[in-house]
Amino acid sequence: MDGDCQQMKKTELIGLVKELKESEKETEWYDFKREWPSNEDLLHDIICLANNTQLKDAYVLIGIDEGNEYECRDTRFDQNRKTTQQVVDFLRSKPFAGGAIPDIQVHQLQYSDEIVIDAIEIKSSKAAPYFLNTEYKGLKAGAIYTRVSDSNTPKNSTANYRQTELLWRNHFGLTDTPLEKFKAFLMNQSGWEKSLEHSMGEKEFYKQHPEYTIEHVDDDSRTASEYYHFLQTDQSPHWYEIFVRYHQTVIYGTIGTALDGGRYFSVVPERAFIHTPTHNGFSLERLAYSYGYFIEGTIEYLLYKHFYTNDYDDERIAYERFLEAIVIYKSESEKRLIESEIEGDPSSFENAISDIEPYVYIPDETREIALNSYIDSLKIVRYIQDRLEDIRNEEYRYKLHCKEQ
């Protein structure tokens, strides 16, 4: 995780820790520790929380003394203190069944001027339940450890039947909703096939589970253009309704667009709005800045990836021009970081985008207000793409082409 996003994550975690500390209780998904535990106890704690029956991200919060009115203690001089890499190396050295280990990260949190506490974040995963193939000190081979309320499963015991069943059902996707299953199916692009069924539009189904279908049909009620249409050779807008069905039930719906005269089809990007003193509303004179984006892992992002087939050059060219006109974030935190920077220093942002000149042709008959809005959106996209390069310390692959200053 890059430095800026890591700092935002730490800020969010400090807020969470304060909230949990004030609750003065533990639950299935977080555990207070006065100090770093021994290796045996640390392994037990991590396995229990990784197997929590809330099926959510979990935390070991080290430096909070539950037995002394939840007083915070500095962890910087704890002899058992570990970094992320040290905990990962420790876990990898243990005989986990199947070879998968819990996905963890250690966060060192500046809780106050004098106190640093540590949070071991344990990501929820369908690799759970985690258990050992062979015994390690007091931890039994084959035993599935979890938490009930604020208590770990004892080392000489195992989770009960109901808890074990829930963890295995989640492991095999049996607890997923139809929409969650659909998201998983989208990741297997080759698993989909065109339907022979007569329908109002184009329809495809998932071969292993044909009760899941995706259909997109013309939407003649929409005629307006979006700013990203103007980077295409054929700028005419074509809109569609997208329906995701499980059997006959629509479980998700959104809008699609055919770009460059139908050479490339995509779900429309999400729309973000940025407010500054000069652009702070929805009136024609003071329109808020706006731009299109996807966040990796969301259903919108997975659909956009799904519809791109890369079958011929014209499609690829339209696809790349579309990507130049939008922002793809790696996470919601990354988006919040960028937008909080902009809204925290709007004058610097507006000075920066005033120097950006996108290569774009917009017809002369376009109304001035719409023209300015389209160009502003492209300027914002390029500004954010440049910032993401700085934050990630890596090249942003599809950047909007602009005139050199």
Side-chain angles (χ1 to χ4, degrees):
M1 185 181 291
D2 60 84
D4 288 333
C5 286
Q6 175 77 341
Q7 186 56 50
M8 174 166 277
K9 175 71 174 181
K10 286 184 176 181
T11 301
E12 293 173 349
L13 276 177
I14 290 170
L16 175 64
V17 170
K18 289 181 177 179
E19 179 183 335
L20 298 181
K21 178 179 175 294
E22 289 172 3
S23 72
E24 297 190 351
K25 64 179 181 180
E26 296 176 336
T27 71
E28 290 90 344
W29 59 276
Y30 62 91
D31 188 4
F32 296 128
K33 296 290 180 185
R34 180 177 182 273
E35 58 192 6
W36 276 80
S38 66
N39 283 346
E40 178 186 335
D41 289 339
L42 177 64
L43 180 60
H44 183 228
D45 289 331
I46 289 175
I47 292 176
C48 287
L49 286 163
N51 291 341
N52 78 83
T53 54
Q54 297 295 306
L55 310 177
K56 62 190 295 184
D57 295 350
Y59 301 89
V60 182
L61 304 174
I62 304 169
I64 300 177
D65 189 352
E66 182 184 8
N68 189 23
E69 298 182 346
Y70 297 89
E71 178 185 45
C72 289
R73 300 170 56 87
D74 191 82
T75 60
R76 284 174 288 186
F77 305 104
D78 193 317
Q79 292 184 345
N80 289 324
R81 194 183 197 206
K82 292 178 174 61
T83 64
T84 297
Q85 191 59 56
Q86 288 171 328
V87 176
V88 169
D89 289 343
F90 169 69
L91 293 175
R92 284 177 177 164
S93 70
K94 300 301 167 283
F96 278 94
I101 66 170
D103 181 6
I104 70 95
Q105 185 171 4
V106 178
H107 302 276
Q108 298 173 356
L109 308 177
Q110 190 73 47
Y111 190 82
S112 67
D113 291 341
E114 301 84 17
I115 294 176
V116 172
I117 64 174
D118 297 329
I120 305 176
E121 180 182 18
I122 306 162
K123 302 297 289 184
S124 175
S125 171
K126 288 191 179 297
Y130 298 96
F131 57 95
L132 303 180
N133 272 327
T134 57
E135 184 170 344
Y136 171 75
K137 296 186 177 179
L139 303 181
K140 304 298 182 183
I144 294 178
Y145 301 114
T146 184
R147 280 174 69 83
V148 178
S149 187
D150 60 350
S151 299
N152 290 339
T153 306
K155 295 175 184 176
N156 63 353
S157 185
T158 189
N160 65 34
Y161 178 87
R162 184 191 64 80
Q163 295 159 347
T164 303
E165 180 188 31
L166 173 61
L167 291 168
W168 281 115
R169 284 176 62 83
N170 181 63
H171 177 87
F172 290 112
L174 300 178
T175 61
D176 292 349
T177 66
L179 190 58
E180 289 169 335
K181 290 180 180 179
F182 171 72
K183 286 181 66 176
F185 297 157
L186 277 177
M187 298 179 190
N188 178 20
Q189 190 177 40
S190 63
W192 293 83
E193 192 167 290
K194 296 292 184 183
S195 174
L196 298 177
E197 175 187 356
H198 176 72
S199 69
M200 297 176 63
E202 291 193 24
K203 192 172 188 177
E204 53 186 323
F205 63 92
Y206 192 63
K207 287 181 284 189
Q208 288 187 319
H209 296 277
E211 64 271 24
Y212 288 89
T213 61
I214 306 171
E215 183 178 24
H216 56 270
V217 298
D218 286 301
D219 183 358
D220 296 330
S221 67
R222 299 176 187 271
T223 58
S225 296
E226 279 287 1
Y227 74 93
Y228 43 77
H229 286 113
F230 296 104
L231 291 187
Q232 302 293 330
T233 303
D234 183 340
Q235 299 180 343
S236 54
H238 300 279
W239 300 104
Y240 294 81
E241 291 184 285
I242 298 174
F243 300 104
V244 175
R245 290 187 176 89
Y246 173 62
H247 294 289
Q248 299 304 312
T249 302
V250 175
I251 59 173
Y252 180 80
T254 189
I255 304 167
T257 185
L259 297 161
D260 199 16
R263 293 175 178 84
Y264 168 59
F265 180 83
S266 176
V267 62
V268 300
E270 295 289 285
R271 174 70 72 170
F273 295 91
I274 295 174
H275 301 270
T276 70
T278 60
H279 293 68
N280 57 12
F282 295 93
S283 67
L284 292 179
E285 295 77 17
R286 300 175 69 85
L287 284 172
Y289 293 113
S290 68
Y291 69 96
Y293 71 93
F294 291 121
I295 298 177
E296 291 184 9
T298 62
I299 191 168
E300 296 82 11
Y301 174 83
L302 295 173
L303 278 169
Y304 127 75
K305 297 283 284 185
H306 171 79
F307 286 127
Y308 178 53
T309 61
N310 196 19
D311 285 340
Y312 51 93
D313 285 344
D314 285 347
E315 182 196 23
R316 177 185 56 78
I317 293 169
Y319 165 80
E320 290 178 357
R321 288 176 177 171
F322 174 62
L323 289 188
E324 288 177 14
I326 64 172
V327 174
I328 296 184
Y329 291 110
K330 291 186 176 181
S331 66
E332 178 68 33
S333 293
E334 195 174 62
K335 176 177 178 287
R336 288 199 303 271
L337 173 65
I338 291 287
E339 293 182 356
S340 64
E341 277 185 359
I342 292 172
E343 295 186 349
D345 190 0
S347 60
S348 295
F349 161 71
E350 290 180 325
N351 287 336
I353 65 171
S354 68
D355 293 331
I356 297 173
E357 294 186 57
Y359 278 112
V360 62
Y361 170 72
I362 300 176
D364 294 337
E365 62 270 19
T366 305
R367 294 177 61 197
E368 183 179 0
I369 290 175
L371 172 66
N372 292 336
S373 176
Y374 295 152
I375 293 176
D376 281 345
S377 292
L378 291 170
K379 288 182 174 184
I380 293 165
V381 165
R382 176 54 190 262
Y383 173 88
I384 294 175
Q385 291 168 347
D386 287 339
R387 279 295 296 129
L388 289 175
E389 279 195 337
D390 295 338
I391 290 171
R392 297 171 182 172
N393 196 28
E394 64 184 29
E395 181 182 1
Y396 189 97
R397 185 173 181 187
Y398 296 110
K399 286 177 69 173
L400 180 68
H401 286 80
C402 293
K403 299 175 184 178
E404 296 293 333
Q405 297 299 314

